[in-house]
Amino acid sequence: MVFSSFTFLIYFLPPFLLIYFLVPKDFRNAVIFIGSLIFYYYGVKDHPFYLILMLLTTTINYLAAQKMTRSNYRGRKRWLMLGLFWNIGCLFVFKYMDFISTNLNELAYGEIRKRIISREFPPGQRLVDSQLAAMFKISRTPIRDAIRRLVKEGLLTNTSSRGFYVFAPTLKDIDEIFSVSIMTETEAAARVIRFLQNSPTEELNHKLRVLEEKANNVFPMENDEEFKRYLMEIADNQRLYDIYMQNQGQRVLLANIIYFGQHQE
């Protein structure tokens, strides 16, 4: 329930105001308190923990205020600091902790992925979460989240008895990965051609002009991937796009292996 919702304006606010003005003034603070509990309960009824947390916070603030009125100067400072610590701590944990955690997860994922693609972590190398955590100076939780994502993406393989290893493609893997790429890219191009033949629009023509600009600048490899990804978007087939993206990490890794192998020769 929010302040602009129909439920608040019609069902909650009128009876609340009626009760507030009908009760004696000495009881109006109690009406506000009970009304606030009902209001917040409606918003967190599926997560009662937050209602308990609010009641606990209210109790701590009330007790801290009571202690402050009965204490000397040093005592008032101590109880004020306790109240501030509790309230700011709750704000930090429930508002900003998820933001920090998400950023650390993305940082760990991006750094490990970049080092796999660039072959700084070469194919076949074992990755240990504790060592990666020490390398990036973060806890193991975001490292483990990144490892799970990279396993799903196919850039890491999970051997239950031995740990996680950077994907080391066999000849069969190479044949399968590029075969899937050829099929998805060919189908995407065919769909775009059919769109152009059956229902050409100014929007489609604009997208094709953008695609042509990207096609003229497919190197370095990041630009080639951007070109193909844009082609998939124009093809407007979500399942085709998902298959293409599932194959992307291994495809880029293979292309890097081939590229560096040729230049080392």
Side-chain angles (χ1 to χ4, degrees):
M1 179 167 55
V2 295
F3 295 119
S4 59
S5 68
F6 183 84
T7 302
F8 176 80
L9 294 174
I10 303 300
Y11 295 111
F12 181 83
L13 187 59
F16 171 79
L17 292 176
L18 181 63
I19 295 171
Y20 177 81
F21 287 111
L22 286 178
V23 301
K25 290 184 178 180
D26 292 343
F27 295 98
R28 287 181 177 177
N29 285 339
V31 171
I32 293 174
F33 177 68
I34 295 170
S36 298
L37 290 179
I38 295 172
F39 176 82
Y40 285 110
Y41 171 75
Y42 192 92
V44 299
K45 58 186 177 182
D46 294 330
H47 305 280
F49 167 76
Y50 294 110
L51 183 64
I52 296 171
L53 179 66
M54 189 187 75
L55 290 171
L56 179 60
T57 300
T58 302
T59 303
I60 290 174
N61 288 332
Y62 175 78
L63 292 176
Q66 289 293 314
K67 291 291 185 180
M68 287 173 63
T69 60
R70 300 170 185 171
S71 302
N72 57 25
Y73 177 74
R74 292 185 62 183
R76 288 197 297 271
K77 285 183 64 176
R78 185 165 55 249
W79 285 105
L80 175 63
M81 293 304 297
L82 175 64
L84 286 174
F85 177 80
W86 175 264
N87 286 279
I88 294 174
C90 288
L91 178 68
F92 176 79
V93 169
F94 292 98
K95 187 169 184 178
Y96 298 111
M97 201 65 182
D98 186 58
F99 172 77
I100 295 172
S101 174
T102 300
N103 279 357
L104 286 176
N105 290 347
E106 289 300 321
L107 172 67
Y109 168 76
E111 282 297 318
I112 298 173
R113 189 181 191 279
K114 181 176 70 175
R115 296 182 189 215
I116 291 173
I117 296 297
S118 66
R119 299 172 69 247
E120 185 176 340
F121 294 155
Q125 177 175 331
R126 186 186 182 205
L127 298 185
V128 180
D129 58 0
S130 58
Q131 295 174 357
L132 292 171
M135 178 184 298
F136 298 128
K137 295 181 173 59
I138 57 177
S139 70
R140 284 194 277 184
T141 300
I143 296 294
R144 289 168 179 166
D145 179 78
I147 287 174
R148 282 193 294 270
R149 292 172 64 180
L150 291 165
V151 168
K152 186 176 180 180
E153 195 174 335
L155 289 175
L156 291 178
T157 56
N158 181 12
T159 305
S160 57
S161 59
R162 294 185 297 166
F164 298 93
Y165 290 80
V166 177
F167 174 60
T170 63
L171 290 176
K172 186 173 183 295
D173 292 325
I174 295 172
D175 176 61
E176 291 177 353
I177 291 167
F178 284 117
S179 293
V180 171
S181 295
I182 291 169
M183 286 188 287
T184 53
E185 292 165 22
T186 302
E187 176 58 23
R191 286 179 61 84
V192 172
I193 292 171
R194 288 197 295 271
F195 291 157
L196 190 61
Q197 290 174 339
N198 299 333
S199 54
T201 63
E202 182 56 36
E203 182 184 3
L204 179 59
N205 287 328
H206 172 71
K207 289 181 178 179
L208 290 176
R209 286 193 294 270
V210 174
L211 186 67
E212 184 178 6
E213 292 175 5
K214 294 180 182 295
N216 292 329
N217 187 30
V218 294
F219 296 101
M221 191 177 306
E222 290 80 5
N223 292 349
D224 179 54
E225 284 299 315
E226 184 180 344
F227 162 75
K228 292 174 181 176
R229 191 160 50 243
Y230 192 68
L231 172 65
M232 292 294 160
E233 291 174 2
I234 299 175
D236 193 27
N237 184 316
Q238 187 60 49
R239 288 180 174 80
L240 188 67
Y241 182 85
D242 290 343
I243 292 171
Y244 175 82
M245 293 305 295
Q246 287 170 5
N247 200 39
Q248 183 195 32
Q250 291 184 341
R251 184 178 60 253
V252 174
L253 177 60
L254 284 178
N256 266 330
I257 292 173
I258 294 169
Y259 175 81
F260 285 111
Q262 289 175 340
H263 283 72
Q264 285 174 354
E265 293 174 359

